[in-house]
Amino acid sequence: MKYYCPIVLGNLLKQQASLMQQYTDINTAEGGDMESMKKAREEKDRLKTEISTLIKSLGPLKWVNKVIMWCADKMPGFSDKIEGCKDMDVDTLISTAMTGNASTYDMKETRKALIQKYK
């Protein structure tokens, strides 16, 4: 991630800045007919939703926060929750634990897609 960070972050910020500029360019305080004001407000609402969606979609890139929270929770092992873990050999335990950890794989794929999008 450290190699992608400047490029990905720069492109993300450019896209956010572009949307924010479009949002601020819409002047809803200026007088005019009701129809044009209604269209301007609808466009502002659309851009606001688009900006919110963009910010929420960046969650998989925020893996550092997840690691910090995991460490702050005293680094629990997800293999401890597997029945019979004390009697399993290491390879079996790891493979069993990894199959139960599907969210990590899902997040990894989503993160890859975001990196490709903004690379």
Side-chain angles (χ1 to χ4, degrees), residues 27-43:
N27 188 1
T28 54
E30 192 176 284
D33 63 349
M34 290 297 287
E35 195 61 36
S36 64
M37 292 301 294
K38 185 178 179 182
K39 286 180 184 176
R41 285 189 183 117
E42 287 173 356
E43 180 65 15

Side-chain angles (χ1 to χ4, degrees), residues 1-13 61 63-64 115 118-119:
M1 185 67 187
K2 70 179 181 178
Y3 301 109
Y4 293 126
C5 191
I7 297 167
V8 172
L9 187 58
N11 290 337
L12 288 170
L13 293 176
L61 294 177
W63 57 273
V64 173
I115 288 171
Y118 293 105
K119 190 173 177 184

Side-chain angles (χ1 to χ4, degrees), residues 17-111:
S18 170
L19 289 172
M20 290 301 291
Q21 186 61 45
Q22 290 174 18
Y23 184 83
T24 56
D25 286 347
I26 298 172
N27 188 1
T28 54
E30 192 176 284
D33 63 349
M34 290 297 287
E35 195 61 36
S36 64
M37 292 301 294
K38 185 178 179 182
K39 286 180 184 176
R41 285 189 183 117
E42 287 173 356
E43 180 65 15
K44 249 187 168 174
D45 287 341
R46 184 191 66 77
L47 283 170
K48 184 178 177 181
T49 305
E50 191 174 337
I51 291 167
S52 295
T53 304
L54 175 65
I55 290 170
K56 286 178 186 172
S57 74
L58 303 179
L61 294 177
K62 297 178 183 177
W63 57 273
V64 173
N65 289 340
K66 291 184 186 256
V67 171
I68 291 169
M69 293 304 292
W70 179 68
C71 291
D73 199 21
K74 299 178 184 150
M75 293 194 261
F78 56 88
S79 63
D80 293 341
K81 298 176 184 170
I82 297 173
E83 266 186 56
C85 67
K86 303 277 188 218
D87 301 328
M88 290 184 183
D89 63 282
V90 174
D91 292 331
T92 307
L93 179 60
I94 290 172
S95 64
T96 307
M98 291 306 288
T99 57
N101 197 16
S103 64
T104 301
Y105 291 115
D106 295 342
M107 192 64 65
K108 182 179 177 182
E109 293 304 316
T110 308
R111 187 171 41 251

